[in-house]
C-alpha cells in the first residue's frame, strides 16, 4: 500500500500542495538515512522541495497516522543533516505525514506547530473511492496543518485586483489583447527574464507531469491558432517576479502593477 501511495504522489505532486500556489518537486524516494529512528538506520519515503529554500521529508503510512508515526518523522527531521542530496544543502526542512487516517492527538499537535525544522508540520489524508456506475476510482486529499505562511498579497493591474497566480494570467491576456498579432516567439521574448522564462508554453508541449503547474483549462489562442498556457506555479519571492513584470513594455509603456 505504501508503494502504491508513493507512486501516486511521485506522479501527482500537486496533491502535496497545501495552498495551490506551491507545488513541490519530488527529488527522490526510498532514501537511506543513517542514524535515523533513534540512532538506527532508517529510510526516507519521499524527499521533496517546495521552494528554493524549503525542503520536506515526507513519511508515508498505509493506514493510521499516530504518535508513533509522528515521532518517527520527528526523528528523521532531527537527523536531516545526514541527507547528502546537494539540492537541499541550504534548505530549511519541514515534515509531512501521509496516510489514510489520523489520530486526534496528532491532529492537535499539527494544529499547534509553527514551521519548525525539528517537528512534523503537516499531514495529508488520502482516500480512494469507486464510482459504482462508471467503475472509476477517485482520490481525495484532506490537509492538516500548514507548511508555509499563506501569502494573501494582492496586486492591482489594469483595473482589477489579483492574487499572484492570477496576476500572471491577467498580464498574458492583456498583452495578447493589446498586441493581437503577436507571435508566440515575440510573446515568449517578453518574458525572457530568468524569473519569467516559464511564464508561457505551447499547449502541445505540456507533459502529464507538468500539467498541474499551468492553467490548462484557461488556454489562450494567438492569431495564428497557436494555443498557449500560462504558468500557475510561482512559489515564494513573488515580489521579485513582479519587479521583472514591471520592466515589460507593451506599446512602449511599462506594465503598471501595484501591490495592495
Amino acid at each position: 500500500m505504501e508503494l502504491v501511495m508513493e507512486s501516486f504522489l511521485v506522479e501527482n505532486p500537486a496533491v502535496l500542495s497545501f495552498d495551490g500556489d506551491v507545488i513541490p518537486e519530488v527529488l527522490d524516494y526510498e532514501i537511506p538515512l543513517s542514524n535515523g529512528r533513534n540512532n538506527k538506520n532508517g529510510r526516507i519515503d519521499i524527499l521533496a522541495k517546495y521552494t528554493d529554500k524549503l525542503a520536506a521529508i515526507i513519511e508515508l503510512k498505509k493506514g493510521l497516522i499516530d504518535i508513533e508515526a509522528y515521532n518517527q518523522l520527528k526523528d528523521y527531521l532531527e537527523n536531516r543533516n545526514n541527507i547528502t542530496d546537494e539540492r537541499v544543502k541550504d534548505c530549511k526542512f519541514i515534515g509531512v505525514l501521509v496516510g489514510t487516517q489520523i489520530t486526534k492527538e496528532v491532529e492537535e499537535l499539527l494544529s499547534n506547530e509553527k514551521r519548525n525544522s525539528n517537528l512534523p508540520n503537516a499531514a495529508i489524508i488520502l482516500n480512494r473511492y469507486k464510482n459504482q456506475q462508471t467503475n472509476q476510482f477517485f482520490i481525495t486529499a484532506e490537509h492538516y496543518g500548514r507548511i508555509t505562511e499563506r501569502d494573501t498579497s494582492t496586486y492591482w493591474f489594469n483595473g482589477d485586483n489579483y492574487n499572484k497566480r492570477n496576476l500572471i494570467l491577467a498580464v498574458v491576456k492583456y498583452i495578447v489583447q493589446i498586441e493581437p498579432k503577436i507571435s508566440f516567439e515575440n510573446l515568449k521574448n517578453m518574458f525572457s527574464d530568468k524569473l519569467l522564462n516559464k511564464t508561457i508554453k505551447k499547449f502541445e508541449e505540456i507533459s502529464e507531469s507538468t500539467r498541474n503547474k499551468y492553467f490548462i483549462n484557461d488556454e489562450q489562442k494567438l492569431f495564428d491558432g497557436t494555443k498557449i498556457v500560462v504558468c500557475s506555479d510561482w512559489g515564494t519571492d513573488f515580489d521579485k517576479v513582479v519587479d521583472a513584470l514591471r520592466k515589460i513594455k507593451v506599446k512602449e509603456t511599462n506594465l503598471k502593477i501595484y501591490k495592495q
Side-chain angles (χ1 to χ4, degrees):
M1 176 65 178
E2 287 181 12
L3 289 177
V4 173
M5 190 182 293
E6 181 181 279
S7 297
F8 173 74
L9 292 173
V10 169
E11 294 174 4
N12 301 275
V15 176
L16 297 169
S17 173
F18 279 73
D19 57 15
D21 288 343
V22 182
I23 299 173
E25 175 188 3
V26 174
L27 301 177
D28 207 347
Y29 48 92
E30 295 295 317
I31 309 162
L33 181 67
S34 60
N35 296 324
R37 303 207 67 175
N38 299 316
N39 294 320
K40 296 180 181 179
N41 291 341
R43 186 176 295 274
I44 294 173
D45 290 325
I46 294 177
L47 179 66
K49 197 171 183 181
Y50 280 86
T51 70
D52 288 342
K53 297 180 181 179
L54 183 64
I57 295 174
I58 299 170
E59 176 65 20
L60 309 181
K61 293 298 172 187
K62 62 182 178 182
L64 184 67
I65 297 174
D66 56 14
I67 193 61
E68 182 180 352
Y70 179 92
N71 287 331
Q72 179 182 342
L73 181 53
K74 178 182 176 182
D75 185 59
Y76 287 164
L77 288 166
E78 290 172 348
N79 288 277
R80 62 191 179 279
N81 290 337
N82 294 326
I83 298 173
T84 59
D85 194 314
E86 289 292 319
R87 293 171 292 181
V88 297
K89 181 180 179 181
D90 299 319
C91 288
K92 290 183 178 180
F93 274 81
I94 49 95
V96 179
L97 293 153
V98 182
T100 58
Q101 298 179 71
I102 187 171
T103 65
K104 278 292 183 184
E105 181 180 15
V106 174
E107 186 179 340
E108 289 174 3
L109 283 170
L110 295 176
S111 67
N112 293 327
E113 302 299 2
K114 301 300 182 183
R115 202 175 77 191
N116 185 316
S117 288
N118 290 324
L119 296 172
N121 305 84
I124 301 172
I125 303 304
L126 298 179
N127 282 295
R128 188 173 73 159
Y129 298 94
K130 182 180 181 180
N131 185 314
Q132 298 299 328
Q133 294 181 330
T134 64
N135 288 325
Q136 290 180 302
F137 286 95
F138 299 90
I139 303 291
T140 63
E142 188 174 1
H143 296 75
Y144 295 82
R146 293 200 61 79
I147 60 161
T148 60
E149 295 300 319
R150 185 171 178 82
D151 184 356
T152 58
S153 301
T154 59
Y155 300 84
W156 183 261
F157 171 69
N158 195 33
D160 279 306
N161 259 326
Y162 300 95
N163 63 20
K164 63 183 183 181
R165 294 176 76 244
N166 290 316
L167 172 65
I168 306 293
L169 180 62
V171 166
V172 174
K173 287 182 175 180
Y174 171 79
I175 293 173
V176 172
Q177 179 183 1
I178 298 299
E179 300 275 7
K181 296 294 186 179
I182 195 168
S183 67
F184 175 79
E185 290 72 21
N186 288 339
L187 182 60
K188 184 77 174 174
N189 286 338
M190 284 188 166
F191 300 98
S192 59
D193 187 289
K194 65 180 181 180
L195 292 171
L196 302 174
N197 58 20
K198 66 178 182 178
T199 299
I200 61 169
K201 275 192 174 183
K202 291 182 179 179
F203 184 86
E204 64 210 45
E205 295 175 347
I206 300 298
S207 66
E208 284 299 321
S209 62
T210 59
R211 285 176 63 88
N212 52 32
K213 296 178 183 287
Y214 287 84
F215 288 102
I216 293 296
N217 296 323
D218 203 348
E219 66 184 49
Q220 307 301 304
K221 185 179 289 188
L222 303 183
F223 78 100
D224 61 359
T226 301
K227 294 181 180 179
I228 64 170
V229 287
V230 179
C231 183
S232 62
D233 179 26
W234 291 97
T236 56
D237 295 328
F238 191 68
D239 284 344
K240 293 180 180 178
V241 173
V242 173
D243 286 340
L245 286 172
R246 292 186 180 118
K247 296 175 183 177
I248 294 176
K249 288 189 175 182
V250 181
K251 297 290 186 181
E252 303 301 320
T253 302
N254 289 85
L255 294 178
K256 293 180 173 60
I257 302 170
Y258 306 96
K259 188 173 184 178
Q260 299 298 291

